[in-house]
Amino acid sequence: MTNSQIIISEAIANGIYTKEEVEAILESGHMIPVHTFATWKSAGYSVKKGEHAKIVTRLWKFSTKKAGNAEADADADGEADNSHYYLAKAFLFTAEQVEKIATA
């Protein structure tokens, strides 16, 4: 599953959206407004003070650090390629929990 599929599945499972609402949003060319803190921040929003995540789940995250006990494959130059994906705990917030960051 991709991160988008995980978020959609969790939003439906947690009763934030129905399957029909999600389909309508996706058909309109948009993504459902459920994102991580970092994604909201990069979009120009901040999570309101005192808000707690509506969804706690695990999303795929990319890393170039050496994987725990796994041995890295060596490339032609003998250097190890340590890049990999792993599931990390993620906290998701809805549009009702954020506000536009005021610009000065």
Side-chain angles (χ1 to χ4, degrees):
M1 279 184 120
T2 66
N3 283 344
S4 294
Q5 292 170 327
I6 293 169
I7 292 170
I8 290 168
S9 174
E10 290 286 342
I12 293 170
N14 285 282
I16 296 171
Y17 292 102
T18 64
K19 188 175 180 179
E20 292 76 22
E21 290 171 330
V22 169
E23 289 172 355
I25 293 169
L26 296 176
E27 285 176 5
S28 69
H30 295 91
M31 187 60 196
I32 64 170
V34 178
H35 305 292
T36 63
F37 179 90
T39 303
W40 280 116
K41 186 176 179 183
S42 69
Y45 291 85
S46 66
V47 175
K48 295 175 186 174
K49 186 174 182 171
E51 291 288 344
H52 296 276
K54 290 277 186 187
I55 300 171
V56 178
T57 189
R58 294 169 55 103
L59 297 177
W60 291 106
K61 190 170 183 176
F62 182 75
S63 176
T64 57
K65 293 182 181 178
K66 186 175 181 179
N69 294 331
E71 292 185 24
D73 294 329
D75 63 11
D77 297 331
E79 294 181 17
D81 179 14
N82 295 324
S83 59
H84 62 280
Y85 286 92
Y86 64 97
L87 285 170
K89 194 172 199 177
F91 301 90
L92 303 174
F93 299 88
T94 64
E96 293 79 27
Q97 296 179 283
V98 297
E99 56 192 3
K100 190 76 171 162
I101 297 174
T103 56

